[in-house]
Amino acid sequence: MDVIHNWNAWIGTDEAGKGDYFGPLVAAAVYVDAECRETFSDLGITDGKRLSNRRIQNLAESMRCHYAQHIVVVEKMPAEYNSLYAMLRRRGQNLNHLLASLHAEAIQTLANSVGAKHALVDKFAKDDLITPQLARRADNRPHLQYDAVGSVRAAPATLEMEIRQVTKAERDIAVAAASIIARDAFLTGMDTLSEKYEICLPRGAYQVVEAGREFVKLHGNDALQNVAKLHFNLTDAVRAP
């Protein structure tokens, strides 16, 4: 894989489900150090978009088996996703802000566990939305400082990580591993929803209207929020009489 940094240990993140009408939105973070980097290379870790679903599931199982402590998954199933998206839209924000929140949570959770100082993200927005999220999460309790007259005032938490956001970052082994973990979690979420509602929910954003209409016929319009991302334009077609 191409070298885009010279870190010895770092976190890579990627997401899955962003373009899928049905199913969850998932962000995954994977920590790579010298030891597991060799193992991941031997396993054949590469960009999950190039792999079959069966291969993704097998690789994800192998990674979790040997390096579960190096993996964090943050998942928003459709009901929670739709609620969060609606809240962000009221604030004038969009899907990229929701993605940034998931990436930041995954990075912070894993960094707190393994002590990582570097993170590489598959860039998904023009602006840096992740660093501000991480800075706010760096310390829920503000540090206390004293002003010139001795009064206590809150000082903002500082971010002690280097965050690098790069397009097509899946060429990095940590981001490639994260893409596999995220995709595996998405597939599992899709299977869970399909089993719960006893209907085969298709992946992607094409040829899903028929399945959506069948779902509405079985479970009603209100239940659609539990399986689909309602802000997609497809929702109007799915709910059309």
Side-chain angles (χ1 to χ4, degrees):
M1 294 189 181
D2 297 339
V3 177
I4 52 181
H5 58 77
N6 59 356
W7 303 327
N8 294 319
W10 70 100
I11 290 171
T13 70
D14 201 4
E15 73 277 341
K18 178 174 65 174
D20 293 83
Y21 181 61
F22 293 114
L25 178 66
V26 181
V30 176
Y31 175 66
V32 167
D33 56 18
E35 179 188 356
C36 72
R37 183 176 188 174
E38 184 176 347
T39 301
F40 286 0
S41 294
D42 291 343
L43 286 172
I45 298 298
T46 188
D47 180 6
K49 298 180 183 67
R50 301 178 180 179
L51 303 174
S52 69
N53 289 337
R54 176 60 61 87
R55 179 66 173 153
I56 284 171
Q57 291 167 328
N58 289 339
L59 286 172
E61 183 178 359
S62 294
M63 284 190 280
R64 286 192 300 267
C65 179
H66 295 96
Y67 294 100
Q69 71 277 15
H70 287 216
I71 297 169
V72 166
V73 173
V74 179
E75 178 182 67
K76 301 300 178 186
M77 294 299 279
E80 185 178 7
Y81 172 99
N82 288 316
S83 177
L84 290 170
Y85 184 85
M87 179 186 69
L88 288 172
R89 292 301 296 160
R90 290 193 294 270
R91 295 178 180 173
Q93 297 177 326
N94 57 35
L95 176 57
N96 284 338
H97 292 86
L98 179 53
L99 273 171
S101 176
L102 268 64
H103 278 265
E105 182 178 347
I107 290 170
Q108 182 198 40
T109 302
L110 188 52
N112 287 345
S113 174
V114 300
K117 297 298 183 183
H118 309 281
L120 182 66
V121 180
D122 184 38
K123 188 174 183 178
F124 54 84
K126 179 180 178 182
D127 299 322
D128 178 8
L129 303 177
I130 295 177
T131 302
Q133 289 267 4
L134 281 168
R136 285 193 291 270
R137 293 170 176 271
D139 190 350
N140 290 327
R141 296 170 299 175
H143 301 288
L144 297 181
Q145 292 182 346
Y146 294 86
D147 62 21
V149 295
S151 299
V152 178
R153 61 184 176 84
T158 57
L159 180 63
E160 298 180 350
M161 287 193 68
E162 178 184 1
I163 310 298
R164 189 171 297 181
Q165 300 174 60
V166 180
T167 55
K168 298 182 179 178
E170 297 96 337
R171 62 189 186 273
D172 176 83
I173 196 163
V175 177
S179 75
I180 291 170
I181 294 295
R183 186 65 180 172
D184 178 67
F186 170 78
L187 293 171
T188 299
M190 286 288 285
D191 288 344
T192 298
L193 292 172
S194 293
E195 291 172 9
K196 179 178 180 179
Y197 291 97
E198 298 180 336
I199 183 172
C200 181
L201 298 171
R203 296 184 292 272
Y206 301 99
Q207 300 179 336
V208 299
V209 172
E210 184 177 346
R213 288 176 174 171
E214 181 65 20
F215 179 90
V216 168
K217 185 188 299 183
L218 292 171
H219 302 286
N221 270 321
D222 290 344
L224 188 62
Q225 67 176 334
N226 297 325
V227 297
K229 302 176 180 73
L230 296 183
H231 64 89
F232 279 42
N233 293 333
L234 292 166
T235 298
D236 290 337
V238 168
R239 286 178 167 170

